[in-house]
Amino acid sequence: MVVRWKKTLSAVVLTASLLSSGYSAYAAGDLPVAAEQTSAVYSLTEALSVEVKSVLNERNDTGSRIGIVVKMENNSGRNARVPDYEVRVRTSDGLQYTLQPSATNARTVQPKEKIELSYMTSVDRTGFNVSEISWVDIDMYVYPKVETEMLTVPVQQLEWTGSGDEINRQGAVLKWGESFTIPSLTSPLRYTPSKVEEENTPTGPVKLITLLVENPGTTMETVPDFMLEGKSGKSVFKGQRAETEPITLEPGEREYIHYAIPVKNNVDLESFNLLTQENFMVADPTGKLTPIPYEIGRLNVVLPGKTGFSLHGLNRYVMDTPMKVDDVNSLIHPDVDVSLVELYMHENQGEGYKTAIAKFKLRNKGEQPVPVPVFDVDLKNSGGYTYSGVRQISSTEKLMPNLSYTVSYSFAIPESENEEKLGLFLVDSQTAKPYRTTISAYQTEIMKQDETSSRLSFYPFDVELKDWTLLTSTNPMPGYVTYSYKLQLDLDIQRKDRVVLDQSFSTMKVELIDTLGRTIAQEHFSFTGMNRLISGVQTVEFKDLRTDQYEYPLTIRIYEAIETPQGEAKRLVKTLKQH
């Protein structure tokens, strides 16, 4: 008896949605159309039905390896024994091969239970396709033996020939931003392609693909293991999940997972395949089990086209307002508001580059202390050139309730950079370490330092320079004369925002510059501590002069200086000149 195409259909619907909140590196475009896949369920016996999960026909060093995995369900109310049928495959050229069962295949199926059964064989030939699977009953108690095909099902559309194979089954090719579940798994978790970003590493460029995972079920779920491989033409690039620890999601919870795909220079990925792993177990004469793992391609997701970076695609930032941060990412606590309060850029004369300083205000609007978030900051011009910031050294670890704290970042920027608007990106370098992913992005303007104004900004302080005087004194020594300099600054210092400061807060740095542009002396002054700057006349006495000569006229440069792990960074605030 041959049973063909006797089946019921169970549909797996892939709902389509876009990432509704948080920053996405690419727009998903129009709302994708929901894709539908159908999996065929066939009756094998009165109690048992089968569904083909995986079909492998992979070329190897000795020929071809054929493996299949089927799901078997007991639809009755009592135990059902797995029939002792031979499982065979028929190829496109009409040949049949008998498969061996995995050593761990179950012998009995519990009532209403669904199990997986694995089969495999190797053949010394290539260049064929697997077209059908058959279950054959063999009566060994008659001569000649009698073979009866109990069930034959077509599987040509399910065949996977190994890494790089094309996935073109109906419902298995998805647009970027289209939500999906993994058809071969019972997990209800839903995935949405969210971001694709590129990063240059010491070993070459890496594409970082971010998937948003959602648990729509009613029980806790663990994100299963699966693989991604990037595709560019005929080339295939294996990806690896950045997270090494298991990820579990409570009902309704959302989380990101990240896959790093190393690529070659100048390679643009067109899509990625999603693969799951199967295992066939072999037992030796002592009963020791050895797994034979292999991967099966399930879905293909088309990546967004390369459109290039556009400042106009970013929302304009309003200074000193809370930035919208990806609410799925957990780097920045929900009770913490992050605001940019200053962004200045100036040229370092004689240094060959410009320096930009971005200062952020972190405010804890909650009722409990929270950790100070450690994020990275990038600036990007309209041409796509990216400048990474260096964070100041900080001694504060906790943000107290209803208080604010400042943190600064310095950027080394080419002298040729003259754009007044830049892209500002907050970057998470912790979650998918060592890779980085963007959690917020805006278009922002470089603030202008008015050289003619007497008001100097050292946020949260406004400093008014009411008057200044540079005094020179002589110090007669036996046989020669030395000189010293004192600078008197009449300052009015006002604190415009209640921000907590610690010893790592930036300082006022004053430099004396001679007519050749050389720094002959410098001093630092703090806004915190016992000897902090206060309103009134401040006297700056320069010590450790680098010259014994009388210098005139001198230039005085006033900077805001911050300490970073790479050394001191400074922002030019005011230039004074002797006349």
Side-chain angles (χ1 to χ4, degrees):
M1 177 183 68
V2 180
V3 180
R4 296 180 181 269
W5 292 87
K6 183 180 179 183
K7 63 183 180 179
T8 58
L9 296 180
S10 61
V12 179
V13 178
L14 304 182
T15 58
S17 65
L18 296 177
L19 183 61
S20 59
S21 63
Y23 169 74
S24 178
Y26 291 85
D30 294 335
L31 186 67
V33 178
E36 180 177 299
Q37 296 187 65
T38 58
S39 52
V41 179
Y42 301 84
S43 296
L44 181 62
T45 68
E46 289 186 2
L48 299 174
S49 60
V50 292
E51 173 188 348
V52 180
K53 178 189 176 188
S54 306
V55 178
L56 175 73
N57 176 17
E58 184 178 39
R59 184 170 181 172
N60 58 25
D61 294 338
T62 60
S64 298
R65 180 172 59 174
I66 303 172
I68 70 167
V69 177
V70 298
K71 297 180 180 180
M72 181 174 288
E73 184 172 8
N74 180 2
N75 301 298
S76 71
R78 58 183 182 179
N79 288 353
R81 186 173 62 86
V82 176
D84 294 327
Y85 299 153
E86 277 192 359
V87 179
R88 300 176 181 176
V89 295
R90 182 176 286 110
T91 65
S92 54
D93 52 7
L95 299 182
Q96 280 196 350
Y97 297 102
T98 300
L99 307 179
Q100 299 301 314
S102 172
T104 56
N105 278 1
R107 303 296 182 89
T108 302
V109 190
Q110 302 284 350
K112 305 300 181 182
E113 181 186 26
K114 182 181 287 188
I115 64 172
E116 291 189 2
L117 303 174
S118 180
Y119 302 85
M120 182 174 285
T121 192
S122 295
V123 296
D124 190 13
R125 62 184 289 253
T126 60
F128 61 88
N129 296 108
V130 174
S131 58
E132 294 180 335
I133 298 175
S134 297
W135 282 260
V136 180
D137 182 32
I138 301 177
D139 188 351
M140 303 293 294
Y141 298 101
V142 298
Y143 183 82
K145 65 182 180 181
V146 177
E147 297 185 358
T148 304
E149 286 192 7
M150 307 304 295
L151 174 66
T152 298
V153 300
V155 295
Q156 202 158 10
Q157 293 297 313
L158 298 177
E159 182 185 45
W160 177 255
T161 60
S163 180
D165 194 3
E166 296 293 330
I167 297 177
N168 49 27
R169 298 185 300 277
Q170 180 180 3
V173 180
L174 308 177
K175 299 177 184 177
W176 182 259
E178 187 171 357
S179 298
F180 61 87
T181 57
I182 301 176
S184 63
L185 304 180
T186 58
S187 169
L189 296 179
R190 187 167 62 242
Y191 305 84
T192 305
S194 173
K195 306 174 193 175
V196 54
E197 300 168 284
E198 183 170 343
E199 183 174 351
N200 290 316
T201 71
T203 58
V206 171
K207 302 286 187 180
L208 185 67
I209 293 177
T210 302
L211 302 179
L212 175 67
V213 189
E214 302 176 81
N215 181 7
T218 57
T219 60
M220 181 185 293
E221 297 287 342
T222 299
V223 177
D225 289 330
F226 57 87
M227 289 66 69
L228 299 188
E229 59 177 24
K231 300 196 68 181
S232 177
K234 298 295 183 181
S235 299
V236 177
F237 303 91
K238 290 285 189 181
Q240 184 175 8
R241 189 184 294 180
E243 292 81 11
T244 58
E245 298 295 327
I247 299 174
T248 58
L249 281 77
E250 297 287 350
E253 188 177 4
R254 302 186 300 167
E255 186 61 85
Y256 285 131
I257 57 174
H258 308 84
Y259 282 83
I261 304 179
V263 297
K264 297 179 180 178
N265 289 321
N266 301 317
V267 166
D268 290 323
L269 296 183
E270 300 163 358
S271 66
F272 67 80
N273 286 342
L274 185 151
L275 305 93
T276 62
Q277 182 172 292
E278 305 286 11
N279 276 302
F280 180 83
M281 305 299 293
V282 178
D284 65 13
T286 66
K288 181 180 178 181
L289 296 174
T290 301
I292 301 178
Y294 59 91
E295 297 169 357
I296 297 289
R298 303 297 180 184
L299 297 169
N300 176 263
V301 178
V302 179
L303 293 173
K306 187 175 182 180
T307 58
F309 172 70
S310 172
L311 274 175
H312 301 294
L314 301 177
N315 293 328
R316 296 184 63 181
Y317 181 70
V318 178
M319 197 64 68
D320 200 13
T321 60
M323 303 179 76
K324 182 176 176 57
V325 179
D326 189 334
D327 59 358
V328 178
N329 185 277
S330 58
L331 179 69
I332 299 177
H333 194 280
D335 286 339
V336 176
D337 281 342
V338 179
S339 306
L340 178 68
V341 291
E342 285 185 348
L343 177 58
Y344 288 100
M345 185 189 302
H346 78 278
E347 183 175 345
N348 299 297
Q349 295 184 6
E351 299 291 340
Y353 66 94
K354 295 180 179 179
T355 295
I357 301 290
K359 186 177 290 187
F360 293 84
K361 178 173 67 176
L362 311 178
R363 179 175 178 268
N364 179 4
K365 58 187 178 183
E367 298 178 351
Q368 299 293 329
V370 296
V372 174
V374 180
F375 51 85
D376 291 352
V377 180
D378 288 347
L379 297 177
K380 184 179 291 189
N381 68 10
S382 60
Y385 291 95
T386 302
Y387 313 113
S388 294
V390 179
R391 186 184 176 102
Q392 75 173 85
I393 296 174
S394 175
S395 59
T396 300
E397 298 181 353
K398 294 283 188 180
L399 287 175
M400 295 298 108
N402 203 30
L403 290 177
S404 298
Y405 173 74
T406 65
V407 62
S408 298
Y409 293 78
S410 66
F411 305 80
I413 295 177
E415 282 185 318
S416 59
E417 182 60 68
N418 55 14
E419 295 189 12
E420 296 180 354
K421 296 180 180 179
L422 295 173
L424 175 72
F425 296 81
L426 301 190
V427 180
D428 176 3
S429 60
Q430 305 295 319
T431 303
K433 199 173 182 178
Y435 306 106
R436 308 163 80 243
T437 181
T438 302
I439 57 177
S440 184
Y442 285 93
Q443 176 193 140
T444 188
E445 294 186 8
I446 302 296
M447 301 172 69
K448 300 297 184 181
Q449 182 72 50
D450 186 358
E451 283 289 324
T452 64
S453 174
S454 62
R455 304 196 72 84
L456 316 178
S457 177
F458 293 83
Y459 181 88
F461 298 100
D462 271 340
V463 179
E464 182 182 0
L465 178 59
K466 302 171 70 174
D467 196 11
W468 66 276
T469 304
L470 182 62
L471 304 175
T472 306
S473 60
T474 58
N475 305 300
M477 303 291 290
Y480 64 96
V481 176
T482 62
Y483 300 88
S484 62
Y485 301 90
K486 290 183 180 181
L487 175 65
Q488 290 184 341
L489 300 173
D490 188 0
L491 304 176
D492 180 19
I493 301 176
Q494 301 294 326
R495 189 167 182 157
K496 65 179 182 180
D497 207 348
R498 305 308 299 176
V499 176
V500 176
L501 306 178
D502 61 15
Q503 297 304 312
S504 63
F505 184 72
S506 55
T507 60
M508 176 191 288
K509 182 178 183 180
V510 182
E511 293 182 351
L512 285 186
I513 312 297
D514 67 11
T515 55
L516 298 178
R518 299 174 301 185
T519 301
I520 64 172
Q522 62 185 24
E523 294 292 340
H524 289 80
F525 299 89
S526 176
F527 289 93
T528 64
M530 292 292 295
N531 298 319
R532 66 182 181 272
L533 289 170
I534 58 175
S535 294
V537 177
Q538 313 285 317
T539 300
V540 181
E541 183 174 356
F542 293 97
K543 304 173 183 178
D544 300 323
L545 293 177
R546 299 173 184 174
T547 178
D548 292 332
Q549 303 299 317
Y550 173 69
E551 302 287 349
Y552 184 88
L554 290 173
T555 297
I556 304 161
R557 292 182 186 155
I558 301 176
Y559 295 90
E560 180 179 21
I562 63 173
E563 288 297 326
T564 77
Q566 297 181 7
E568 182 184 73
K570 57 186 183 180
R571 172 178 69 87
L572 183 62
V573 177
K574 186 71 174 177
T575 301
L576 309 172
K577 294 184 179 181
Q578 280 185 316
H579 297 290

